[in-house]
Amino acid sequence: MKGFRLFGDYAFEFFVITLLVALSAVLILPFIPMVVGVAGYFKTDINSRRFKDIFTTIGKNWKILIFYTVFQLIIIIFPVLNIYFFNTHPENTNYFVLAVCCVALFVGVIYLVAAPTVIVNMDVTLRQLLYNGIMLLFGGLLRSLISLACVAGIIALILFYPYVVPLTLYAVPLVISKLMAANFLKLKAKALNTSVFELKKKMKEDDYLDENGEINRTEILEKNDEEV
């Protein structure tokens, strides 16, 4: 019964997240904030997260999201449009512009992968975001490469098979969020001179405490109910 309920939760989640991300992509401007909001949503486990977490994350980080959105629109959207145009109109290809677009797109992909996790976990300026976004990639090179490959795959689908893209709008953000969260924990553990295991243990213990350091009995009861 628990497994069936979990399957239903994931299925409903797939539908809602896909719809929200697809709608934001069509409207263009809300897309980057939505990506960050979804990263905040996936920060917690399936039993704890709520869809309102998406909009809470966006609301809490609206200042940095303004600058980050402008940055990403310039460095991703315009290159994608140019590359798509050159792909569909090869007779008008300008190879210098194409090269610049490819470089800009690569930089944009890096920050599309790394920046949401930084924004969700840290209070940063745009300059700090750009620095920490690069540093986050070094928390685990294999995880970073997989995340970059996921975004590169979506961009390739946009350019060549756009109708397949909606099928990726749930799984790819989920995978990237989990991989980048692991990178972040590794870097945080290193900065605190501890292990990832000890850090996770401390975070789990903190879940049982409220903002005053008292035992959160409501949280304990909810977890016990879920286990039952």
Side-chain angles (χ1 to χ4, degrees):
M1 181 63 69
K2 184 177 179 180
F4 183 76
R5 180 184 64 81
L6 192 61
F7 174 79
D9 288 343
Y10 275 113
F12 183 63
E13 195 176 74
F14 171 86
F15 174 78
V16 174
I17 296 299
T18 299
L19 182 62
L20 288 174
V21 175
L23 182 60
S24 67
V26 170
L27 297 175
I28 299 178
L29 284 178
F31 176 68
I32 299 302
M34 182 58 65
V35 170
V36 174
V38 169
Y41 171 77
F42 284 136
K43 185 179 178 180
T44 54
D45 64 86
I46 185 70
N47 295 313
S48 303
R49 56 192 182 226
R50 301 292 182 268
F51 291 122
K52 69 177 183 179
D53 295 340
I54 298 173
F55 305 100
T56 300
T57 300
I58 295 173
K60 286 172 57 179
N61 299 284
W62 68 271
K63 290 183 179 179
I64 185 62
L65 282 176
I66 293 175
F67 298 104
Y68 176 54
T69 298
V70 172
F71 171 79
Q72 286 292 63
L73 286 177
I74 293 173
I75 208 167
I76 285 187
I77 302 299
F78 293 143
V80 166
L81 292 176
N82 280 330
I83 293 173
Y84 181 77
F85 175 78
F86 292 148
N87 183 59
T88 54
H89 300 79
E91 68 278 3
N92 295 322
T93 300
N94 183 317
Y95 290 101
F96 174 76
V97 174
L98 181 60
V100 171
C101 287
C102 289
V103 172
L105 189 57
F106 179 71
V107 174
V109 167
I110 288 176
Y111 286 107
L112 190 61
V113 165
T117 298
V118 174
I119 292 174
V120 167
N121 291 281
M122 302 174 67
D123 183 14
V124 292
T125 63
L126 181 60
R127 182 177 65 83
Q128 293 169 335
L129 175 62
L130 297 180
Y131 173 78
N132 286 293
I134 293 295
M135 295 305 298
L136 183 63
L137 297 179
F138 293 97
L141 289 179
L142 179 59
R143 289 189 291 264
S144 297
L145 289 174
I146 293 173
S147 299
L148 292 171
C150 287
V151 177
I154 289 183
I155 293 174
L157 289 176
I158 291 173
L159 295 174
F160 301 105
Y161 304 101
Y163 299 108
V164 182
V165 172
L167 299 177
T168 68
L169 298 182
Y170 172 79
V172 170
L174 175 61
V175 170
I176 292 176
S177 295
K178 297 303 181 183
L179 293 175
M180 289 297 101
N183 279 12
F184 183 80
L185 279 177
K186 183 177 179 179
L187 292 176
K188 185 176 180 180
K190 184 177 181 180
L192 296 175
N193 195 28
T194 185
S195 66
V196 173
F197 174 78
E198 290 296 329
L199 185 59
K200 286 183 177 180
K201 182 179 178 181
K202 179 63 167 59
M203 291 170 62
K204 186 175 182 180
E205 291 172 352
D206 289 343
D207 285 342
Y208 289 95
L209 302 178
D210 60 22
E211 64 275 11
N212 298 315
E214 301 293 335
I215 295 176
N216 189 339
R217 299 190 182 280
T218 301
E219 183 75 16
I220 294 176
L221 290 173
E222 289 178 353
K223 289 183 179 293
N224 288 339
D225 289 342
E226 289 171 359
E227 291 175 358
V228 173

